Amino acid sequence: MRKLLVTGGMGFIGSNFILHMLSRYDDLHITNIDALTYAGNPDNLSDIAHSDAYRFVRADITDAEQVGRIFAENPFDGVVHFAAESHVDRSIVHPEAFVRANVLGTFHLLEAARRYETPKFIHVSTDEVYGTLGDTGYFTEQSPLMPNSPYSASKAGSDLLARSYAQTYGLPVIITRCSNNYGPRQFPEKLIPTIILRALHDEPIPIYGDGTHVRDWLYVMDHCAAIDAALRRGIAGEVYNIGGHHERTNLEVTRMVLQELRKPESLITFVADRLGHDKRYAIDPAKTERELGWRPGKELEQGMKETIMWYVTNRSWWERVRSGAYLEGR
Ligand SMILES: Cc1cn([C@H]2C[C@H](O)[C@@H](COP(=O)(O)OP(=O)(O)O[C@H]3O[C@H](CO)[C@@H](O)[C@H](O)[C@H]3O)O2)c(=O)[nH]c1=O
Protein backbone atom coordinates (compact mmCIF):
# COMPACT_ATOMS: atom_id res chain seq x y z
CA MET A 1 0.00 0.00 0.00
CA ARG A 2 1.50 3.34 -1.06
CA LYS A 3 0.94 6.21 1.34
CA LEU A 4 0.53 9.70 -0.02
CA LEU A 5 0.26 12.98 1.84
CA VAL A 6 -1.81 15.58 0.01
CA THR A 7 -1.83 19.14 1.36
CA GLY A 8 -4.75 21.44 0.62
CA GLY A 9 -6.93 18.52 -0.45
CA MET A 10 -10.20 20.28 0.43
CA GLY A 11 -9.57 22.91 -2.24
CA PHE A 12 -10.47 22.85 -5.90
CA ILE A 13 -7.46 21.15 -7.49
CA GLY A 14 -6.48 19.11 -4.43
CA SER A 15 -9.93 17.54 -4.07
CA ASN A 16 -10.12 16.69 -7.77
CA PHE A 17 -6.65 15.16 -7.50
CA ILE A 18 -7.62 12.96 -4.53
CA LEU A 19 -10.73 11.75 -6.36
CA HIS A 20 -8.65 11.06 -9.48
CA MET A 21 -6.03 9.05 -7.56
CA LEU A 22 -8.45 7.00 -5.46
CA SER A 23 -10.54 6.09 -8.51
CA ARG A 24 -7.39 5.02 -10.35
CA TYR A 25 -5.31 3.11 -7.81
CA ASP A 26 -6.41 0.36 -5.39
CA ASP A 27 -3.09 0.19 -3.55
CA LEU A 28 -3.11 3.78 -2.34
CA HIS A 29 -3.87 5.48 0.97
CA ILE A 30 -4.19 9.26 1.04
CA THR A 31 -3.83 11.49 4.09
CA ASN A 32 -5.26 14.91 3.33
CA ILE A 33 -4.18 17.84 5.50
CA ASP A 34 -6.00 21.11 5.09
CA ALA A 35 -6.34 24.15 7.34
CA LEU A 36 -9.95 24.69 6.17
CA THR A 37 -9.52 28.35 5.43
CA TYR A 38 -12.27 29.96 3.33
CA ALA A 39 -11.38 28.00 0.16
CA GLY A 40 -11.19 24.59 1.81
CA ASN A 41 -14.58 22.94 1.51
CA PRO A 42 -15.23 19.49 3.08
CA ASP A 43 -18.27 19.14 0.78
CA ASN A 44 -15.73 18.57 -2.01
CA LEU A 45 -14.79 15.18 -0.58
CA SER A 46 -17.98 14.16 1.24
CA ASP A 47 -18.31 11.13 -1.11
CA ILE A 48 -15.09 9.56 0.20
CA ALA A 49 -15.11 10.93 3.76
CA HIS A 50 -15.54 7.40 5.20
CA SER A 51 -13.37 5.50 2.74
CA ASP A 52 -10.68 3.21 4.23
CA ALA A 53 -8.26 4.56 1.64
CA TYR A 54 -8.59 8.12 2.89
CA ARG A 55 -8.02 10.12 6.05
CA PHE A 56 -8.52 13.82 6.72
CA VAL A 57 -6.51 15.70 9.32
CA ARG A 58 -7.18 19.36 9.93
CA ALA A 59 -3.74 20.91 10.06
CA ASP A 60 -2.18 24.21 9.15
CA ILE A 61 1.12 24.11 7.26
CA THR A 62 2.12 27.47 8.75
CA ASP A 63 2.42 25.63 12.09
CA ALA A 64 5.71 23.71 12.11
CA GLU A 65 4.68 21.56 15.07
CA GLN A 66 1.48 20.37 13.42
CA VAL A 67 3.38 19.52 10.25
CA GLY A 68 6.12 17.72 12.20
CA ARG A 69 3.53 15.62 14.06
CA ILE A 70 1.89 14.40 10.83
CA PHE A 71 5.23 13.26 9.43
CA ALA A 72 6.33 11.69 12.72
CA GLU A 73 3.18 9.55 12.85
CA ASN A 74 3.29 8.36 9.23
CA PRO A 75 6.03 7.37 6.85
CA PHE A 76 4.82 8.74 3.50
CA ASP A 77 5.91 7.44 0.11
CA GLY A 78 5.20 10.82 -1.38
CA VAL A 79 3.90 14.32 -0.77
CA VAL A 80 1.79 16.31 -3.22
CA HIS A 81 1.71 19.89 -2.01
CA PHE A 82 -1.27 21.93 -3.20
CA ALA A 83 -2.00 23.96 -0.06
CA ALA A 84 -1.66 27.65 -0.89
CA GLU A 85 -3.33 30.99 -0.82
CA SER A 86 -4.12 31.21 -4.53
CA HIS A 87 -6.21 34.23 -5.44
CA VAL A 88 -4.31 37.13 -7.01
CA ASP A 89 -6.91 39.79 -6.07
CA ARG A 90 -6.75 38.79 -2.40
CA SER A 91 -2.95 38.93 -2.48
CA ILE A 92 -3.10 42.54 -3.60
CA VAL A 93 -5.15 43.45 -0.51
CA HIS A 94 -3.64 41.05 2.06
CA PRO A 95 -0.16 39.98 0.90
CA GLU A 96 0.99 38.79 4.32
CA ALA A 97 -1.30 35.74 4.34
CA PHE A 98 0.31 34.68 1.04
CA VAL A 99 3.85 34.93 2.34
CA ARG A 100 2.90 32.94 5.42
CA ALA A 101 1.01 30.13 3.72
CA ASN A 102 2.99 29.85 0.51
CA VAL A 103 6.54 30.54 1.65
CA LEU A 104 6.57 29.59 5.34
CA GLY A 105 4.08 26.74 4.88
CA THR A 106 6.13 25.23 2.06
CA PHE A 107 9.28 25.62 4.11
CA HIS A 108 7.78 23.61 6.99
CA LEU A 109 6.76 20.82 4.62
CA LEU A 110 10.16 20.70 2.95
CA GLU A 111 11.86 20.56 6.35
CA ALA A 112 9.64 17.70 7.52
CA ALA A 113 10.13 15.82 4.24
CA ARG A 114 13.88 16.24 4.61
CA ARG A 115 13.88 15.08 8.23
CA TYR A 116 11.75 12.01 7.48
CA GLU A 117 13.41 11.29 4.12
CA THR A 118 10.22 11.33 2.08
CA PRO A 119 11.13 9.74 -1.26
CA LYS A 120 9.05 12.05 -3.49
CA PHE A 121 7.80 15.62 -3.10
CA ILE A 122 5.69 17.28 -5.77
CA HIS A 123 5.49 21.02 -5.31
CA VAL A 124 2.47 22.26 -7.25
CA SER A 125 3.13 25.74 -8.56
CA THR A 126 1.95 28.11 -11.24
CA ASP A 127 2.95 29.64 -14.58
CA GLU A 128 2.43 33.05 -12.93
CA VAL A 129 5.94 32.81 -11.45
CA TYR A 130 7.25 33.60 -14.96
CA GLY A 131 5.46 36.95 -15.03
CA THR A 132 3.76 38.05 -18.21
CA LEU A 133 4.17 37.47 -21.95
CA GLY A 134 3.58 39.91 -24.78
CA ASP A 135 1.47 38.93 -27.79
CA THR A 136 3.83 36.11 -28.80
CA GLY A 137 6.09 33.50 -27.24
CA TYR A 138 5.68 30.80 -24.61
CA PHE A 139 6.95 30.06 -21.13
CA THR A 140 9.41 27.20 -20.96
CA GLU A 141 10.92 25.66 -17.85
CA GLN A 142 13.97 27.86 -18.53
CA SER A 143 12.05 31.14 -18.54
CA PRO A 144 13.25 33.53 -15.82
CA LEU A 145 11.09 33.93 -12.74
CA MET A 146 9.62 37.45 -12.91
CA PRO A 147 6.49 37.39 -10.73
CA ASN A 148 4.31 40.49 -10.74
CA SER A 149 1.79 40.00 -7.93
CA PRO A 150 2.33 39.26 -4.23
CA TYR A 151 0.65 35.90 -4.94
CA SER A 152 3.02 34.92 -7.76
CA ALA A 153 6.02 36.29 -5.85
CA SER A 154 5.12 34.10 -2.88
CA LYS A 155 4.81 31.08 -5.18
CA ALA A 156 8.13 31.91 -6.82
CA GLY A 157 9.65 32.12 -3.32
CA SER A 158 8.28 28.68 -2.48
CA ASP A 159 9.55 27.28 -5.81
CA LEU A 160 13.04 28.56 -5.05
CA LEU A 161 12.97 27.06 -1.57
CA ALA A 162 11.86 23.74 -3.08
CA ARG A 163 14.67 23.96 -5.62
CA SER A 164 17.20 24.68 -2.89
CA TYR A 165 16.11 21.58 -0.95
CA ALA A 166 16.76 19.49 -4.05
CA GLN A 167 20.15 21.10 -4.68
CA THR A 168 21.38 21.30 -1.09
CA TYR A 169 19.90 18.26 0.62
CA GLY A 170 19.11 16.06 -2.35
CA LEU A 171 15.41 16.05 -1.43
CA PRO A 172 13.64 14.49 -4.43
CA VAL A 173 11.52 17.51 -5.26
CA ILE A 174 9.64 17.95 -8.54
CA ILE A 175 8.09 21.33 -9.30
CA THR A 176 5.03 21.52 -11.56
CA ARG A 177 3.80 24.85 -12.94
CA CYS A 178 0.28 24.86 -14.31
CA SER A 179 -1.76 27.34 -16.30
CA ASN A 180 -5.32 28.43 -15.40
CA ASN A 181 -7.43 25.52 -14.20
CA TYR A 182 -11.19 25.29 -14.63
CA GLY A 183 -13.70 22.56 -13.84
CA PRO A 184 -15.98 21.22 -11.08
CA ARG A 185 -15.65 22.54 -7.50
CA GLN A 186 -13.74 25.70 -8.31
CA PHE A 187 -14.29 28.38 -5.69
CA PRO A 188 -16.53 31.12 -7.13
CA GLU A 189 -13.96 33.91 -6.72
CA LYS A 190 -12.16 32.77 -9.90
CA LEU A 191 -13.13 33.96 -13.38
CA ILE A 192 -14.93 30.90 -14.81
CA PRO A 193 -17.24 30.17 -11.83
CA THR A 194 -17.78 33.92 -11.45
CA ILE A 195 -19.08 34.07 -15.02
CA ILE A 196 -21.22 30.93 -14.68
CA LEU A 197 -22.86 31.82 -11.37
CA ARG A 198 -23.43 35.46 -12.23
CA ALA A 199 -24.88 34.51 -15.60
CA LEU A 200 -27.22 31.99 -13.97
CA HIS A 201 -28.44 34.80 -11.69
CA ASP A 202 -28.59 37.39 -14.51
CA GLU A 203 -26.06 39.48 -12.59
CA PRO A 204 -23.43 41.76 -14.17
CA ILE A 205 -20.16 39.98 -14.96
CA PRO A 206 -17.14 42.11 -13.98
CA ILE A 207 -14.39 42.07 -16.62
CA TYR A 208 -11.17 43.76 -15.58
CA GLY A 209 -9.78 46.41 -17.94
CA ASP A 210 -10.63 45.81 -21.60
CA GLY A 211 -10.94 42.01 -21.35
CA THR A 212 -8.10 41.32 -23.79
CA HIS A 213 -5.91 39.58 -21.22
CA VAL A 214 -5.10 36.03 -22.28
CA ARG A 215 -5.08 32.89 -20.14
CA ASP A 216 -4.25 29.31 -21.14
CA TRP A 217 -7.17 27.19 -19.90
CA LEU A 218 -6.49 23.74 -18.48
CA TYR A 219 -9.23 21.30 -17.50
CA VAL A 220 -8.61 20.38 -13.86
CA MET A 221 -8.76 16.61 -14.47
CA ASP A 222 -6.07 16.97 -17.15
CA HIS A 223 -3.95 18.77 -14.57
CA CYS A 224 -4.55 15.94 -12.07
CA ALA A 225 -3.47 13.38 -14.68
CA ALA A 226 -0.29 15.39 -15.28
CA ILE A 227 0.60 15.43 -11.58
CA ASP A 228 -0.09 11.69 -11.45
CA ALA A 229 2.34 11.31 -14.37
CA ALA A 230 4.90 13.50 -12.57
CA LEU A 231 4.62 11.24 -9.51
CA ARG A 232 5.20 8.16 -11.62
CA ARG A 233 7.66 9.38 -14.24
CA GLY A 234 8.99 12.77 -13.13
CA ILE A 235 12.69 13.18 -12.50
CA ALA A 236 13.75 14.56 -9.10
CA GLY A 237 15.02 18.13 -9.28
CA GLU A 238 13.13 18.88 -12.52
CA VAL A 239 10.45 21.45 -13.33
CA TYR A 240 7.47 20.56 -15.56
CA ASN A 241 5.14 23.14 -17.05
CA ILE A 242 1.54 21.97 -17.47
CA GLY A 243 -0.61 23.92 -19.89
CA GLY A 244 -3.96 23.40 -21.55
CA HIS A 245 -2.98 24.65 -25.00
CA HIS A 246 -6.15 26.72 -25.04
CA GLU A 247 -5.32 30.40 -25.07
CA ARG A 248 -8.33 32.69 -24.98
CA THR A 249 -8.95 36.30 -24.00
CA ASN A 250 -11.12 36.82 -20.95
CA LEU A 251 -13.81 38.25 -23.23
CA GLU A 252 -13.72 35.13 -25.42
CA VAL A 253 -14.26 32.74 -22.51
CA THR A 254 -16.98 34.99 -21.11
CA ARG A 255 -18.83 34.95 -24.44
CA MET A 256 -18.40 31.18 -24.66
CA VAL A 257 -20.13 30.68 -21.30
CA LEU A 258 -22.88 33.22 -22.04
CA GLN A 259 -23.65 31.51 -25.35
CA GLU A 260 -23.85 28.09 -23.72
CA LEU A 261 -26.23 29.42 -21.06
CA ARG A 262 -28.16 31.48 -23.66
CA LYS A 263 -27.57 34.67 -21.69
CA PRO A 264 -27.08 38.14 -23.25
CA GLU A 265 -23.66 39.74 -23.71
CA SER A 266 -25.10 42.83 -22.06
CA LEU A 267 -24.25 41.16 -18.74
CA ILE A 268 -20.57 41.89 -19.46
CA THR A 269 -19.53 44.90 -17.37
CA PHE A 270 -16.08 46.41 -17.75
CA VAL A 271 -14.59 47.40 -14.39
CA ALA A 272 -11.30 48.88 -13.18
CA ASP A 273 -8.29 46.80 -14.13
CA ARG A 274 -6.45 44.57 -11.62
CA LEU A 275 -3.24 46.23 -10.34
CA GLY A 276 -0.18 44.80 -12.08
CA HIS A 277 -2.48 42.66 -14.28
CA ASP A 278 -0.45 40.13 -16.29
CA LYS A 279 -1.32 40.41 -19.98
CA ARG A 280 -0.83 36.89 -21.23
CA TYR A 281 0.21 33.42 -20.08
CA ALA A 282 0.98 30.56 -22.46
CA ILE A 283 2.99 27.39 -22.02
CA ASP A 284 5.36 25.50 -24.29
CA PRO A 285 4.40 21.89 -23.52
CA ALA A 286 7.38 20.16 -25.20
CA LYS A 287 9.29 19.02 -22.12
CA THR A 288 6.28 17.73 -20.20
CA GLU A 289 4.93 15.88 -23.24
CA ARG A 290 8.31 14.34 -23.95
CA GLU A 291 9.36 13.38 -20.41
CA LEU A 292 6.04 12.66 -18.73
CA GLY A 293 4.21 11.35 -21.79
CA TRP A 294 1.29 13.61 -20.91
CA ARG A 295 -0.79 15.99 -22.96
CA PRO A 296 -4.11 17.68 -22.21
CA GLY A 297 -7.04 15.59 -23.39
CA LYS A 298 -10.02 17.88 -22.96
CA GLU A 299 -11.05 20.35 -25.63
CA LEU A 300 -11.92 23.72 -24.12
CA GLU A 301 -15.44 23.87 -25.57
CA GLN A 302 -16.26 20.39 -24.22
CA GLY A 303 -14.63 21.03 -20.83
CA MET A 304 -16.50 24.30 -20.49
CA LYS A 305 -19.83 22.62 -21.31
CA GLU A 306 -19.19 19.95 -18.68
CA THR A 307 -18.13 22.57 -16.12
CA ILE A 308 -21.25 24.64 -16.74
CA MET A 309 -23.35 21.48 -16.43
CA TRP A 310 -21.62 20.64 -13.13
CA TYR A 311 -22.57 24.03 -11.66
CA VAL A 312 -26.12 23.77 -13.03
CA THR A 313 -26.63 20.31 -11.50
CA ASN A 314 -24.76 20.95 -8.23
CA ARG A 315 -26.77 23.90 -7.08
CA SER A 316 -26.62 22.90 -3.40
CA TRP A 317 -22.78 22.95 -3.54
CA TRP A 318 -22.54 26.57 -4.60
CA GLU A 319 -25.57 27.70 -2.60
CA ARG A 320 -23.76 26.48 0.52
CA VAL A 321 -20.63 28.32 -0.65
CA ARG A 322 -22.45 31.52 -1.51
CA SER A 323 -24.40 31.57 1.77
CA GLY A 324 -21.32 30.63 3.83
CA ALA A 325 -23.11 27.52 5.17
CA TYR A 326 -20.10 25.35 4.24
CA LEU A 327 -18.10 27.23 6.90
CA GLU A 328 -20.40 26.15 9.75
CA GLY A 329 -18.74 24.46 12.72
CA ARG A 330 -15.26 25.80 12.09
C1 LIG B 1 -12.12 37.04 -10.91
C2 LIG B 1 -12.00 37.86 -12.18
C3 LIG B 1 -10.90 37.73 -13.01
N1 LIG B 1 -10.81 38.47 -14.14
C4 LIG B 1 -9.62 38.27 -15.02
C5 LIG B 1 -8.27 38.38 -14.37
C6 LIG B 1 -7.44 37.38 -15.19
O1 LIG B 1 -6.96 38.02 -16.36
C7 LIG B 1 -8.42 36.31 -15.58
C8 LIG B 1 -8.41 35.10 -14.67
O2 LIG B 1 -8.49 35.56 -13.34
P1 LIG B 1 -8.47 34.56 -12.11
O3 LIG B 1 -9.58 33.57 -12.27
O4 LIG B 1 -8.45 35.37 -10.87
O5 LIG B 1 -7.11 33.76 -12.34
P2 LIG B 1 -5.58 34.28 -12.49
O6 LIG B 1 -5.37 35.58 -11.84
O7 LIG B 1 -5.20 34.15 -13.92
O8 LIG B 1 -4.83 33.15 -11.61
C9 LIG B 1 -5.27 31.79 -11.63
O9 LIG B 1 -4.43 31.02 -12.47
C10 LIG B 1 -3.10 30.83 -12.01
C11 LIG B 1 -2.39 29.98 -13.04
O10 LIG B 1 -2.14 30.75 -14.18
C12 LIG B 1 -3.07 30.24 -10.61
O11 LIG B 1 -1.77 30.18 -10.15
C13 LIG B 1 -3.90 31.11 -9.65
O12 LIG B 1 -3.94 30.53 -8.38
C14 LIG B 1 -5.30 31.24 -10.21
O13 LIG B 1 -6.06 32.08 -9.36
O14 LIG B 1 -9.71 36.93 -15.50
C15 LIG B 1 -11.81 39.34 -14.53
O15 LIG B 1 -11.73 39.99 -15.60
N2 LIG B 1 -12.91 39.44 -13.72
C16 LIG B 1 -13.05 38.73 -12.56
O16 LIG B 1 -14.08 38.89 -11.85
Side-chain angles (χ1 to χ4, degrees):
M1 175 74 72
R2 287 183 301 149
K3 291 190 173 160
L4 207 59
L5 175 68
V6 172
T7 73
M10 290 303 192
F12 162 51
I13 307 175
S15 61
N16 279 297
F17 177 74
I18 290 173
L19 294 172
H20 163 92
M21 293 298 279
L22 291 182
S23 70
R24 210 165 159 200
Y25 302 105
D26 292 334
D27 62 334
L28 189 64
H29 185 276
I30 293 182
T31 298
N32 169 19
I33 61 168
D34 196 299
L36 296 184
T37 59
Y38 79 95
N41 184 350
D43 292 353
N44 289 342
L45 291 179
S46 53
D47 285 354
I48 57 152
H50 303 294
S51 159
D52 289 341
Y54 170 78
R55 181 173 77 118
F56 171 63
V57 180
R58 186 171 184 178
D60 186 341
I61 59 169
T62 66
D63 183 329
E65 254 181 51
Q66 287 184 32
V67 172
R69 216 173 303 134
I70 302 283
F71 277 76
E73 285 165 7
N74 312 268
F76 294 113
D77 300 306
V79 173
V80 184
H81 173 34
F82 293 97
E85 287 289 340
S86 73
H87 197 49
V88 175
D89 294 328
R90 285 180 188 257
S91 84
I92 294 168
V93 185
H94 296 296
E96 190 186 334
F98 287 71
V99 176
R100 282 177 59 72
N102 300 353
V103 182
L104 190 63
T106 301
F107 166 66
H108 291 152
L109 286 164
L110 290 166
E111 264 298 286
R114 173 169 84 93
R115 194 164 348 124
Y116 292 95
E117 298 180 356
T118 307
K120 201 152 260 186
F121 190 112
I122 309 273
H123 175 61
V124 179
S125 189
T126 167
D127 59 0
E128 296 198 12
V129 297
Y130 299 122
T132 189
L133 291 164
D135 290 338
T136 57
Y138 294 90
F139 296 132
T140 73
E141 288 78 1
Q142 269 75 50
S143 300
L145 302 193
M146 296 175 71
N148 291 318
S149 71
Y151 159 68
S152 53
S154 69
K155 288 299 283 186
S158 66
D159 285 20
L160 293 177
L161 267 176
R163 178 192 146 83
S164 77
Y165 271 64
Q167 298 291 323
T168 305
Y169 306 113
L171 187 73
V173 179
I174 291 169
I175 298 174
T176 60
R177 295 188 178 131
C178 65
S179 62
N180 282 63
N181 283 230
Y182 71 100
R185 303 180 190 84
Q186 188 167 30
F187 196 80
E189 66 191 348
K190 309 284 193 216
L191 180 64
I192 301 297
T194 296
I195 303 168
I196 297 172
L197 295 185
R198 285 182 170 255
L200 286 173
H201 290 86
D202 297 304
E203 291 167 359
I205 296 165
I207 294 298
Y208 301 163
D210 61 6
T212 60
H213 301 78
V214 172
R215 296 295 183 263
D216 172 6
W217 293 100
L218 170 67
Y219 191 62
V220 65
M221 296 317 281
D222 277 339
H223 184 195
C224 294
I227 295 170
D228 183 2
L231 261 176
R232 284 180 289 120
R233 291 194 283 274
I235 297 165
E238 292 292 316
V239 176
Y240 297 100
N241 288 344
I242 303 170
H245 244 339
H246 293 115
E247 287 181 55
R248 296 288 190 283
T249 66
N250 294 336
L251 269 179
E252 282 170 339
V253 289
T254 307
R255 290 195 178 112
M256 188 187 290
V257 174
L258 289 175
Q259 242 173 21
E260 185 63 28
L261 287 170
R262 296 192 175 74
K263 296 288 183 176
E265 286 195 13
S266 56
L267 290 178
I268 295 174
T269 308
F270 292 99
V271 299
D273 209 351
R274 174 184 277 175
L275 297 179
H277 197 172
D278 285 338
K279 183 70 187 176
R280 176 173 165 259
Y281 307 139
I283 280 183
D284 176 345
K287 177 180 174 183
T288 302
E289 289 187 3
R290 192 177 59 244
E291 292 185 15
L292 300 185
W294 171 91
R295 60 180 62 211
K298 188 73 84 183
E299 284 305 318
L300 180 62
E301 287 67 20
Q302 182 59 27
M304 205 58 87
K305 275 188 188 161
E306 291 175 19
T307 302
I308 292 168
M309 193 46 73
W310 188 87
Y311 281 91
V312 168
T313 53
N314 286 274
R315 196 183 181 91
S316 64
W317 181 92
W318 54 258
E319 276 180 349
R320 280 173 54 77
V321 171
R322 275 197 149 191
S323 68
Y326 76 110
L327 293 166
E328 272 163 22
R330 293 195 185 175

